[in-house]
Amino acid sequence: MRARDLAETYPFVTTDDSAMDAARLLAERALPALLVLDADGHPYAIVPGSQLVRQLLPHYIVEDPLLAAVVDERSDTDALTG
């Protein structure tokens, strides 16, 4: 058996996709991270979900744990999926 026999397609975004589109994909598929491809379709990065969400949240929420606790998981998914 070879690695190619085990390989499965994994959801990805490209460097041209918006961060919100990436976050939606992350939320809809409950992924731990996203594969980012460059314009040529080559791997560019793997972005952990926590890093992506941290970039999208207003800075004051990230810095204040009490405010961060107000944004629960359900409302995060609702906001990202539409």
Side-chain angles (χ1 to χ4, degrees):
M1 181 176 287
R2 303 244 180 229
R4 73 174 161 256
D5 299 327
L6 301 172
E8 295 181 25
T9 57
Y10 191 82
F12 65 88
V13 294
T14 67
T15 53
D16 294 328
D17 290 328
S18 73
M20 282 304 295
D21 288 342
R24 274 190 200 93
L25 180 61
L26 189 80
E28 290 170 355
R29 305 261 183 117
L31 300 170
L34 279 178
L35 173 61
V36 180
L37 304 180
D38 66 16
D40 296 324
H42 297 109
Y44 180 79
I46 295 174
V47 179
S50 59
Q51 181 180 347
L52 177 61
V53 171
R54 195 174 308 117
Q55 292 298 315
L56 292 172
L57 288 175
H59 200 60
Y60 63 89
I61 291 178
V62 175
E63 289 183 354
D64 188 341
L66 293 176
L67 286 176
V70 172
V71 180
D72 67 10
E73 191 173 309
R74 191 193 64 198
S75 64
D76 288 348
T77 302
D78 292 345
L80 296 175
T81 58

